[in-house]
Amino acid sequence: MSSLEGELSEPYRTGRIRERQIGRPPARSARLAPFTEQTADALRKVLDIGAVSALEPVQQLVARAGGRPCAAVLVSSIHAGLAWGGQAPYAMAKAALEALGRAAAVELGPRGLRCNTVRPGFVLVPRNAHRWRDAGTREALSGLQPSGELAGPDDVASVIAFLLGDRARFVSGETVTVDGAMTAVLPEPPPSFNRGVPG
């Protein structure tokens, strides 16, 4: 998984933000298999990487802040709310991460913490380059977006930076979807669905 780490200063605002990799590649790659072939061990491993690993950094942030205002943003995925074949462990881990973020916001709010989660959709990053570098696949992915465009890392980072900043001082316990309305699209019904219906 990846996290955002900042240089903290009074009152624990985030300065320079940089991305660092924690542990192994994204949890989703650990076990891609049909539901009937998943194992409890595989689910536990992905849950540990995709959700449990966020626990201690949030605890440490609050401890370092010493009661002063501080903010954390966890990075989930649209898979937390949608099912895609073969990725049950990843979806479960991201849903758990969002629940962890809400719990942190509620329990650690009195100690000065704001905790939110961002839920990106498909983002143009190197680890999924095998999908978007192919012109045909990229066109198909773009077709899922109302804008016809695909998100880049900066589109997600800008939302994270906002949530970490003072302008979001009263935003906590939220999950913000950053997918260009991809998951808001209602699939088109077959032509016969609207037959005989005015308008």
Side-chain angles (χ1 to χ4, degrees), residues 1 25 34 49-53 87 95 100 109 115 119 125 134 158 162 170 182:
M1 69 179 283
I49 297 170
V52 178
S53 62
Q87 296 190 358
L100 183 70
C115 188
R119 186 189 273 192
V125 292
D134 174 76
S158 62
F162 168 75
F170 213 64
M182 183 177 73

Coordinates of all heavy atoms in Angstrom, one line a residue, residues 1 25 34 49-53 87 95 100 109 115 119 125 134 158 162 170 182:
M1 N 0.9 -1.2 0.0 CA 0.0 0.0 0.0 C 0.9 1.2 0.0 O 2.1 1.2 0.2 CB -0.9 0.0 1.2 CG -0.2 0.2 2.5 SD -1.3 0.2 3.9 CE -2.0 1.9 3.8
P25 N 3.9 -4.9 -3.0 CA 3.0 -4.2 -4.0 C 1.5 -4.2 -3.5 O 1.2 -4.8 -2.4 CB 3.1 -5.1 -5.2 CG 4.5 -5.7 -5.1 CD 4.6 -5.9 -3.6
P34 N -11.0 -16.6 -8.3 CA -12.5 -16.7 -8.2 C -12.8 -16.9 -6.7 O -12.1 -17.4 -5.9 CB -12.9 -18.0 -9.0 CG -11.7 -18.1 -9.9 CD -10.5 -17.7 -9.3
I49 N -2.4 -6.2 4.9 CA -1.6 -5.2 4.1 C -2.5 -4.0 3.8 O -2.1 -2.9 3.9 CB -1.2 -5.9 2.8 CG1 -0.2 -7.0 3.0 CG2 -0.6 -4.8 1.8 CD1 0.1 -7.8 1.8
G50 N -3.8 -4.3 3.5 CA -4.7 -3.2 3.0 C -5.4 -2.4 4.0 O -5.9 -1.4 3.7
A51 N -5.4 -2.9 5.3 CA -6.2 -2.2 6.3 C -5.5 -2.2 7.7 O -5.3 -1.1 8.2 CB -7.6 -2.8 6.5
V52 N -5.1 -3.3 8.1 CA -4.4 -3.3 9.5 C -3.2 -2.5 9.5 O -2.8 -1.9 10.5 CB -4.1 -4.8 9.9 CG1 -3.4 -4.9 11.2 CG2 -5.4 -5.6 9.9
S53 N -2.4 -2.4 8.4 CA -1.2 -1.7 8.3 C -1.4 -0.2 8.6 O -0.4 0.5 8.8 CB -0.5 -1.9 7.0 OG -1.3 -1.4 5.9
Q87 N -11.6 -10.4 -6.9 CA -10.9 -9.5 -6.1 C -11.6 -9.3 -4.7 O -11.6 -8.2 -4.1 CB -10.7 -8.1 -6.8 CG -9.8 -8.3 -8.0 CD -9.4 -6.9 -8.6 OE1 -9.9 -5.9 -8.1 NE2 -8.6 -7.0 -9.6
A95 N -12.8 -1.9 2.2 CA -14.0 -1.6 3.0 C -13.6 -1.5 4.5 O -14.1 -0.6 5.2 CB -15.1 -2.7 2.8
L100 N -12.1 1.6 9.5 CA -11.1 2.0 10.4 C -10.9 3.6 10.4 O -10.8 4.2 11.5 CB -9.7 1.4 10.0 CG -8.5 1.7 10.9 CD1 -8.7 0.9 12.2 CD2 -7.2 1.3 10.2
G109 N -11.1 11.9 17.6 CA -11.4 13.3 17.4 C -11.2 14.2 18.6 O -10.7 15.3 18.5
C115 N -9.8 12.4 10.6 CA -9.4 11.3 9.7 C -10.4 11.1 8.6 O -11.6 11.1 8.9 CB -9.3 10.0 10.5 SG -8.6 8.6 9.6
R119 N -11.5 7.6 -1.9 CA -11.8 6.4 -2.7 C -11.6 6.6 -4.2 O -12.5 7.0 -4.9 CB -13.2 6.0 -2.4 CG -13.7 4.7 -2.9 CD -15.2 4.5 -2.8 NE -15.6 3.9 -1.5 CZ -16.8 3.5 -1.2 NH1 -17.7 3.5 -2.1 NH2 -17.1 2.9 0.0
V125 N -1.5 5.1 -13.2 CA -0.2 4.9 -12.4 C 0.6 3.7 -13.0 O 0.0 2.9 -13.7 CB -0.5 4.6 -10.9 CG1 -1.1 5.8 -10.3 CG2 -1.4 3.4 -10.8
D134 N -2.2 0.4 -23.7 CA -2.8 -0.1 -24.9 C -3.9 0.8 -25.4 O -4.8 1.1 -24.6 CB -3.3 -1.5 -24.7 CG -4.1 -2.1 -25.8 OD1 -3.4 -2.5 -26.8 OD2 -5.3 -2.1 -25.8
S158 N -4.5 16.1 -5.1 CA -5.1 17.4 -4.7 C -6.2 17.3 -3.7 O -6.4 18.2 -2.9 CB -5.5 18.1 -6.0 OG -6.6 17.4 -6.6
F162 N -6.2 18.8 0.1 CA -7.3 19.6 0.7 C -7.7 19.0 2.0 O -7.9 19.8 3.0 CB -8.4 19.6 -0.3 CG -9.7 20.2 0.3 CD1 -9.8 21.6 0.5 CD2 -10.7 19.4 0.7 CE1 -11.0 22.1 1.1 CE2 -11.9 19.9 1.2 CZ -12.0 21.2 1.4
F170 N -13.3 21.1 9.3 CA -14.5 20.5 9.9 C -15.0 19.3 9.1 O -16.1 18.9 9.3 CB -15.6 21.6 10.0 CG -16.5 21.4 11.2 CD1 -16.0 21.5 12.5 CD2 -17.8 21.1 11.0 CE1 -16.8 21.3 13.6 CE2 -18.7 20.9 12.1 CZ -18.1 21.0 13.4
M182 N -17.6 8.1 -12.3 CA -17.7 6.7 -13.0 C -18.7 5.8 -12.3 O -19.5 5.2 -12.9 CB -16.3 6.1 -13.0 CG -16.3 4.7 -13.7 SD -14.6 4.0 -13.8 CE -14.4 3.5 -12.1

